[in-house]
Amino acid sequence: MEFISKINVLPKVPEKLSRLPELSKNLWWTWNYDAQEIFERIDEELWVGVNRNPVLFLKKVSQKKLNEAAENKAIVSLYSQVIEKFDEYMKAENTWFKSTHREYKGGEFAYFCAEYGLHESFPNYSGGLGVLAGDHLKSSSDLGIPLVAVGLLYKQGYFEQRINSEGWQEAIFNPYDFDNFPVVPVKDEDGNELFVTVEMDNRKVYAKIWKLQVGRINLIYLDTDIPQNDPEDRMITYQLYGGDQEMRIRQEILLGIGGVRALRAIGYNPSVWHMNEGHSAFLGLERIREFVQEQGLTFREAVQAAKASAVFTTHTPVPAGHDAFPFHLMDRYFKNYWPQLKASRREFLDLGAEIRPDGSELFSMTTLALNLSSRANGVSKLHGEVSRDLAKDIWKGLEAVEVPITHVTNGVHATTWISKELQDLFTNYLGRDWHEKIDDPDLWKKIDNIPDEELWNVRKYLKKKLISFIHERTKLQRMRHGETVEQLEEIEEILDPNALTIGFARRFATYKRATLIFKDLDRLKKILNNPERPVQLIFAGKAHPADKPGQELIKRIYEISRMPEFKDKIVFIENYDMNVARHLVAGVDIWLNNPRRPREASGTSGQKAGMNGSPNFSVLDGWWVEGYNGKNGWAIGDERDYTDLELQDRIDSVSIYNTLEKEIVPLYYDHNEELGVSREWIKIMKESIISVTSFFNTHRMLKEYTQKLYMTAAELGEKFVKDNFEITRRFANWVELLERNWDSIRIKVLSNVNEDVVYATGGKIEVKAEIYLPGIGPDSVLTQIVLAKLEDNKVVSLKSFDMKLVKEVNKDTYLYEGEFEVDERGQYGWNVRVVPYNPIMPYQHYLIGFVKYPQ
C-alpha cells in the first residue's frame, strides 16, 4: 500500500493547560520543581521514560491523560500557580542588575562556551565546564544580567556510557532530533530562517542559527548539519570534543567567528565579549576584522579596540590542557583571513604564538585569548595562582605574582542542585524568599534553627531514594548483561541505607585519582566490612572515548565491586549525567574528592554536595582550599605540592584511611539513641550547608563577574570606541612607539648595595639609576625599584616603588632616584626596571611583553 503523504498527529493541550508548550520551551522549568511536578503528575511513567523532557513529553502523552489532567483541580491549581510565578519572573523589573546598575545603557554581555549543561534531557554537554556554563546562564537570568550566550548545537552531543560485563566503558553516540528539544530556529522579519557562513579551507560552510531560552537569557546555537553543506562540513557539529585536531579547529572557527556573525545577524551589539575557556578565542579575530573592514581601523588599532571590551576565563591548570594548533594548520584555515585584518602572516600568528620547550612554535588559543582580552581570571584562588605561573612566559619580565590574571571562584546554581525536599525544609525555616538571598551569609545562619530530627529525616529519605535509584539502574545494566533471575534478585541487597555512604563522581581523568582509595585493599576491606560500623562506596563518571588510562580506572573499580569481599559495598553507576549527579550529591553522607593537587582548577560537584548537607572529604585543591574551615568537612593531606607522584599518592591514601578510621566513621556511628545519628555529625552537616551555600553559589559568582570584569570591560570598551575611536588611535600609536624603541632602552644601576646585608625593618635603602630612553622619553614609562620576597628561591610576593626623575644627564638619558624599605625579616631580591605608563591603561601590566631590566 502506498501513502499519498504522512502526517504527525499530536495531542492537543486543553485550554486549562494551554501554556504548557510555552513552559516546555523555556528552561526556567529546570530549576523550578513545581513546574516539573505538573508534567510528572500528568503521567509519571512517561515523564521518567522521556528523561524528563517536557517537549518530547507533550508529543507522546496520551490525549486521555491530558484531558484527565485538565479536570484535576489539584493539577490545574498547581499549573496556575506556576504560570503566575513564571510570568512574574519574566516580567520583573526590580532585578539585581537593574537596581544596582540603573545607569547602564550599553549592550549585552556576550558569553561564548563550547558546551552548556542545562538539564539531562538536553545532552549538549560533557561535564564540569558545561554544567558551570549552564549555571552561569541560570544565575544571569535570576539576577537580570543582560547576557546573551553562544554555543554549538551538537547532533550527537556527548556519548552515552555503557559498562559491559567485563567493566569496559562503551561509548554510544545517538543522533538527536532537534524537534524534540526546546530549541527553535531563529528567523528574520520575513519569517525566513537565519544562517551565517564562515570560510574553511577555501570553501564556505553554512550554519543554521537556533535559539534556546534559559529564563530571561537567550542561548544562540550554531548547527552545520544542514543540506547546504558537504557531508564533511555537516559533521562539524556532530560530536562534542570528538574528532581530531583538524575537527577541533573547525569547531572553534565556527564557535568564535561564526558566533560573532550569528549575533550580528540577529541584531545584537554586545558591549562585552566573554570567552569562557580558549575554545572561543577566534571571536577576537572576527572583531578585529569588523573594526578593520567596517570602521576603517588599522590592524594595530583594531587589536586594541577588540581587547578593551573582552574578558577571558581559563579553566585549565596544566599546559597540556590548552588547545594549540600547528602553524601549517593555521595557514591552511586562515591564509585568506589575515589579509582581511590588514595584517601580515607574522603579525597574525604573533597574536597566539607560543614557543614550546623544544623551540617549536604553536598557535595557542589561551595565548590568543590573553592577548585579546583586557581582563582575565582563573576559577578559584589557587587556580588563579597556578594560572599566573602558567602565563608568566607570556608576560615576559614579570614574576608570576604580578601577572594580571585574577580569580572568580566558581559556584553552582543553588535551586538547580539543592534537592526539592531540602528546599521545602529551607522554605519552612528560612522564609519563602530564601532563594532570592542565596548569597546572604546571615540568611544561612538560620539553618541552625532547623531541628536536628527534621534535617536528619530528610537526609535519610534522600539516601533511600538514591539507593532505590541505583537499584533500578543496576537492574537495567545487569539485564543487558544477561544475568540470571537469582543474580537480579540480589540487586536489592546492594547498599545498606543505614551504612555510612561515600560518593565519588566526576570525569575519569587520571589526575583525579579515582582509584586512590583502593591503594591498600586489605585496609579498605576492614573499613568497609566492619559489622558494627559499615561503610560503602558509590562511583560514577565517564572517561573520554580516547582516554584509555581513564577507562582502565573504570574497569578496575568495576572489577573490585564484583569481588566477594566488596560485594554490595561498592557500586559503579553507568552513564553519569545531571540526573545521576542530583541523586548522588543529595543522597550520600560524604563527598570524596582526591585530585592530584594542584591540578583541580575548581571543581563544583563538592559544592553541590555541601549544599545538600553531604560534607566534603577532599584534597585541599580547587575550591576546597577556600571552602574548608575545619568544621564543615575533612581535608585529605595538606597544602603541599609534590614532584614525586608516587609519594604523593601514598601520603594521600594513608590520610584517607586514617581520617576514615579515626574521625569520620567513629563520629558517624556515635549514635544518639533518640536521633539515630550523632549530634556532632548533624552539626557538621549544618555547617556544610551554611558555609558552602552562602558563598559557593553562582549568584555571588555572577555578581563578581559583573562588578570585577563585565562592567570594567564595558566601560573601557566604550572609552575606546568613543569619538570615532580617538583614544584607540592614540593608544595604538603609542604602543607602536614602544614597540619600535623598547629594545633600545638601557638601565644602569648606580647604587652599590651589598646583597649579603640583612636590613632591619624600617631601614630605607636609596637607589639611583640612569635610564636610556631613545624615542620614548620619560613621560611614557615608570621607573621602579622592585622588591621580591623569596622562599626557597621562589618569589612569593613583590612590591614596586616608583622612582623620581631627577634630570636629563645626556641626550635621552635620565637620572632617577628612589628608595625602598623592608617590612619584615626574610630573604629578598631587588632590582630596577622600566614599565610602560599611559593614563589610558586600566592597570599597570595591561600591555603584554613590555618590561625592561638591566642587561
Side-chain angles (χ1 to χ4, degrees):
M1 178 179 179
E2 292 188 6
F3 298 97
I4 297 174
S5 64
K6 296 178 182 179
I7 57 173
N8 290 319
V9 179
L10 300 176
K12 182 181 180 182
V13 178
E15 183 64 30
K16 290 181 180 178
L17 305 172
S18 61
R19 292 181 63 189
L20 281 182
E22 177 190 354
L23 197 62
S24 74
K25 292 288 181 75
N26 189 319
L27 267 66
W28 173 86
W29 66 264
T30 64
W31 67 96
N32 288 270
Y33 285 112
D34 287 345
Q36 297 170 38
E37 191 177 334
I38 298 170
F39 300 101
E40 188 175 9
R41 285 199 193 181
I42 292 172
D43 189 335
E44 183 177 358
E45 185 177 349
L46 178 62
W47 179 242
V48 174
V50 297
N51 202 23
R52 290 155 298 280
N53 178 342
V55 175
L56 191 56
F57 178 90
L58 290 176
K59 287 184 175 185
K60 291 195 168 188
V61 68
S62 71
Q63 190 66 57
K64 181 172 179 289
K65 292 273 189 181
L66 279 176
N67 292 341
E68 288 173 353
E71 299 306 317
N72 185 311
K73 290 183 179 179
I75 293 177
V76 172
S77 174
L78 178 63
Y79 165 81
S80 299
Q81 292 170 30
V82 168
I83 292 299
E84 183 180 353
K85 183 180 176 184
F86 175 64
D87 287 341
E88 184 181 314
Y89 179 91
M90 295 299 292
K91 296 173 183 175
E93 291 293 326
N94 60 336
T95 64
W96 171 82
F97 184 86
K98 286 184 178 177
S99 60
T100 308
H101 298 283
R102 296 182 188 279
E103 305 305 315
Y104 183 72
K105 304 296 183 187
E108 293 81 7
F109 307 151
Y111 180 84
F112 283 61
C113 191
E115 54 171 307
Y116 293 89
L118 294 153
H119 191 260
E120 65 272 11
S121 65
F122 187 38
N124 221 37
Y125 64 96
S126 73
L129 178 70
V131 175
L132 175 75
D135 284 4
H136 194 109
L137 303 196
K138 292 173 183 178
S139 272
S140 294
S141 173
D142 290 342
L143 297 170
I145 295 170
L147 189 128
V148 59
V150 178
L152 302 183
L153 190 58
Y154 303 99
K155 180 74 173 179
Q156 298 177 353
Y158 203 51
F159 68 95
E160 180 182 321
Q161 180 199 54
R162 290 182 184 171
I163 306 299
N164 68 22
S165 58
E166 295 179 345
W168 286 110
Q169 169 182 286
E170 296 175 346
I172 313 297
F173 288 93
N174 296 311
Y176 299 119
D177 182 351
F178 297 152
D179 284 343
N180 294 331
F181 287 156
V183 291
V184 295
V186 178
K187 298 181 179 181
D188 63 18
E189 293 178 353
D190 297 323
N192 301 310
E193 292 184 345
L194 278 180
F195 299 85
V196 292
T197 61
V198 290
E199 185 180 294
M200 295 190 196
D201 200 16
N202 288 319
R203 65 182 181 275
K204 277 188 177 181
V205 175
Y206 292 82
K208 182 177 178 177
I209 306 175
W210 298 78
K211 183 179 77 171
L212 173 69
Q213 271 205 282
V214 185
R216 304 178 179 110
I217 302 299
N218 287 333
L219 170 50
I220 306 303
Y221 278 121
L222 295 175
D223 163 30
T224 64
D225 185 31
I226 52 178
Q228 293 95 316
N229 288 326
D230 295 336
E232 181 183 1
D233 294 329
R234 294 183 71 155
M235 294 177 64
I236 293 172
T237 54
Y238 265 31
Q239 294 177 6
L240 171 59
Y241 304 140
D244 56 12
Q245 197 172 44
E246 189 160 348
M247 179 57 76
R248 179 63 66 89
I249 198 172
R250 290 176 183 173
Q251 289 184 335
E252 296 186 359
I253 288 170
L254 180 65
L255 176 61
I257 295 175
V260 174
R261 293 178 182 179
L263 291 180
R264 299 302 193 201
I266 297 170
Y268 285 106
N269 184 27
S271 291
V272 176
W273 301 79
H274 184 177
M275 297 166 276
N276 192 44
E277 195 50 282
H279 308 122
S280 60
F282 287 142
L283 74 84
L285 301 180
E286 178 63 7
R287 296 188 59 229
I288 292 171
R289 189 196 66 80
E290 288 182 334
F291 284 127
V292 170
Q293 296 294 323
E294 298 169 16
Q295 304 296 335
L297 299 187
T298 66
F299 170 69
R300 291 171 178 274
E301 291 167 348
V303 166
Q304 298 303 331
K307 174 186 173 93
S309 56
V311 170
F312 170 55
T313 298
T314 175
H315 294 260
T316 310
V318 290
H322 297 265
D323 281 351
F325 301 109
F327 278 8
H328 72 81
L329 209 55
M330 295 299 296
D331 286 338
R332 181 175 163 190
Y333 280 90
F334 286 94
K335 63 179 179 293
N336 295 327
Y337 191 86
W338 66 67
Q340 299 177 54
L341 314 185
K342 295 186 180 176
S344 68
R345 175 181 180 272
R346 189 66 238 185
E347 284 177 318
F348 175 81
L349 292 175
D350 279 346
L351 290 173
E354 178 180 291
I355 300 175
R356 292 297 167 100
D358 62 1
S360 64
E361 279 190 297
L362 292 174
F363 192 91
S364 163
M365 297 298 282
T366 297
T367 301
L368 176 66
L370 289 170
N371 270 313
L372 295 182
S373 58
S374 62
R375 305 281 170 176
N377 70 285
V379 290
S380 69
K381 185 174 184 291
L382 179 59
H383 181 237
E385 295 171 12
V386 172
S387 298
R388 287 189 285 277
D389 192 56
L390 286 175
K392 66 178 183 293
D393 290 338
I394 299 174
W395 272 271
K396 289 180 174 58
L398 291 187
E399 296 293 338
V401 293
E402 279 194 299
V403 169
I405 297 178
T406 183
H407 77 274
V408 176
T409 300
N410 282 346
V412 300
H413 188 251
T415 48
T416 292
W417 292 106
I418 298 174
S419 69
K420 180 183 187 303
E421 294 77 9
L422 273 176
Q423 288 198 33
D424 290 343
L425 193 63
F426 293 167
T427 298
N428 290 339
Y429 288 94
L430 307 184
R432 299 193 66 83
D433 62 344
W434 66 267
H435 57 279
E436 296 175 5
K437 300 183 284 187
I438 285 166
D439 57 337
D440 179 2
D442 290 333
L443 169 77
W444 293 102
K445 292 174 184 176
K446 296 178 183 177
I447 289 292
D448 286 330
N449 297 335
I450 300 176
D452 290 353
E453 290 78 4
E454 286 194 47
L455 179 57
W456 183 241
N457 285 337
V458 169
R459 294 286 309 147
K460 283 198 300 182
Y461 171 80
L462 291 171
K463 189 195 283 190
K464 288 178 180 177
K465 186 177 176 182
L466 167 64
I467 292 173
S468 175
F469 173 76
I470 290 172
H471 288 170
E472 292 172 14
R473 298 286 288 245
T474 306
K475 185 175 182 180
L476 292 173
Q477 179 182 344
R478 294 191 180 179
M479 286 173 66
R480 195 178 67 243
H481 294 168
E483 296 194 5
T484 65
V485 175
E486 290 78 10
Q487 288 173 313
L488 293 177
E489 288 176 350
E490 290 176 354
I491 290 172
E492 295 302 316
E493 302 302 316
I494 294 175
L495 303 177
D496 176 0
N498 296 312
L500 173 63
T501 304
I502 300 173
F504 180 102
R506 53 194 36 85
R507 182 166 55 92
F508 267 64
T510 51
Y511 79 88
K512 293 179 183 284
R513 301 188 296 179
T515 56
L516 186 64
I517 198 170
F518 300 116
K519 198 159 185 67
D520 187 338
L521 281 180
D522 289 335
R523 193 167 178 185
L524 181 64
K525 189 195 314 180
K526 292 175 184 175
I527 295 172
L528 267 56
N529 290 299
N530 184 326
E532 302 298 322
R533 303 187 305 192
V535 179
Q536 52 201 15
L537 302 170
I538 302 172
F539 289 85
K542 296 178 178 180
H544 189 279
D547 183 5
K548 295 303 178 187
Q551 293 171 40
E552 287 169 359
L553 295 176
I554 292 173
K555 185 175 188 295
R556 174 66 174 152
I557 293 172
Y558 181 84
E559 289 171 343
I560 293 172
S561 74
R562 303 309 293 264
M563 291 178 180
E565 59 266 45
F566 295 115
K567 185 182 177 185
D568 303 335
K569 301 278 187 179
I570 300 174
V571 63
F572 188 98
I573 312 173
E574 67 179 3
N575 203 31
Y576 184 47
D577 65 3
M578 291 177 72
N579 185 36
V580 174
R582 272 197 308 274
H583 281 83
L584 278 171
V585 297
V588 299
D589 296 305
I590 292 286
W591 194 256
L592 177 65
N593 183 36
N594 43 237
R596 182 169 281 121
R597 179 188 153 97
R599 297 188 62 182
E600 185 84 280
S602 175
T604 54
S605 61
Q607 297 171 350
K608 297 158 192 165
M611 288 183 178
N612 279 284
S614 303
N616 280 262
F617 180 29
S618 176
V619 166
L620 290 165
D621 195 11
W623 77 277
W624 190 232
V625 179
E626 300 165 64
Y628 176 58
N629 64 16
K631 299 179 292 183
N632 61 352
W634 295 268
I636 297 170
D638 52 28
E639 292 190 62
R640 278 205 296 163
D641 304 333
Y642 295 81
T643 53
D644 185 333
L645 302 185
E646 176 57 32
L647 175 63
Q648 184 178 19
D649 290 353
R650 199 160 61 244
I651 289 173
D652 286 347
S653 66
V654 169
S655 175
I656 290 173
Y657 299 135
N658 285 343
T659 307
L660 282 172
E661 291 167 341
K662 297 176 183 177
E663 297 181 46
I664 295 175
V665 176
L667 184 64
Y668 184 83
Y669 285 102
D670 181 18
H671 282 175
N672 173 285
E673 292 298 327
E674 183 182 337
L675 183 59
V677 73
S678 162
R679 295 276 182 190
E680 288 300 312
W681 188 270
I682 300 286
K683 191 180 293 185
I684 292 172
M685 283 171 46
K686 286 184 174 181
E687 180 62 25
S688 174
I689 295 170
I690 292 168
S691 60
V692 175
T693 317
S694 62
F695 184 81
F696 297 98
N697 60 77
T698 40
H699 278 40
R700 183 273 311 158
M701 184 185 90
L702 259 300
K703 289 178 182 179
E704 279 195 47
Y705 270 108
T706 300
Q707 308 294 55
K708 290 171 62 173
L709 303 169
Y710 293 161
M711 294 306 294
T712 53
E715 290 166 9
L716 189 65
E718 184 182 9
K719 183 189 296 185
F720 269 62
V721 302
K722 194 175 180 182
D723 297 329
N724 193 29
F725 300 92
E726 186 215 340
I727 285 179
T728 298
R729 298 177 201 276
R730 281 200 286 119
F731 190 70
N733 288 337
W734 176 74
V735 173
E736 189 174 358
L737 175 78
L738 295 182
E739 289 175 347
R740 284 200 309 268
N741 296 287
W742 196 257
D743 287 342
S744 299
I745 294 176
R746 294 292 180 268
I747 302 172
K748 181 180 180 182
V749 181
L750 303 177
S751 304
N752 183 22
V753 180
N754 187 340
E755 294 179 358
D756 296 329
V757 175
V758 178
Y759 293 91
T761 300
K764 293 187 177 180
I765 302 163
E766 295 182 354
V767 177
K768 294 182 180 180
E770 286 184 355
I771 314 295
Y772 178 55
L773 298 170
I776 297 177
D779 291 341
S780 291
V781 299
L782 289 176
T783 300
Q784 300 174 326
I785 305 164
V786 286
L787 176 68
K789 186 172 185 180
L790 307 174
E791 290 180 9
D792 299 325
N793 288 322
K794 181 181 178 182
V795 176
V796 294
S797 64
L798 188 145
K799 291 183 179 180
S800 61
F801 304 83
D802 291 346
M803 300 179 73
K804 292 180 180 179
L805 173 62
V806 177
K807 60 181 178 180
E808 184 175 11
V809 293
N810 290 305
K811 180 172 171 48
D812 294 330
T813 301
Y814 303 87
L815 176 65
Y816 284 84
E817 291 180 352
E819 61 183 23
F820 69 93
E821 60 182 333
V822 181
D823 293 321
E824 56 186 22
R825 291 183 180 182
Q827 185 181 25
Y828 293 86
W830 71 274
N831 209 337
V832 173
R833 72 179 179 192
V834 172
V835 296
Y837 169 74
N838 191 313
I840 296 172
M841 289 198 305
Y843 52 87
Q844 182 168 290
H845 300 301
Y846 181 80
L847 295 181
I848 294 175
F850 289 97
V851 180
K852 193 76 172 182
Y853 284 96
Q855 291 179 313

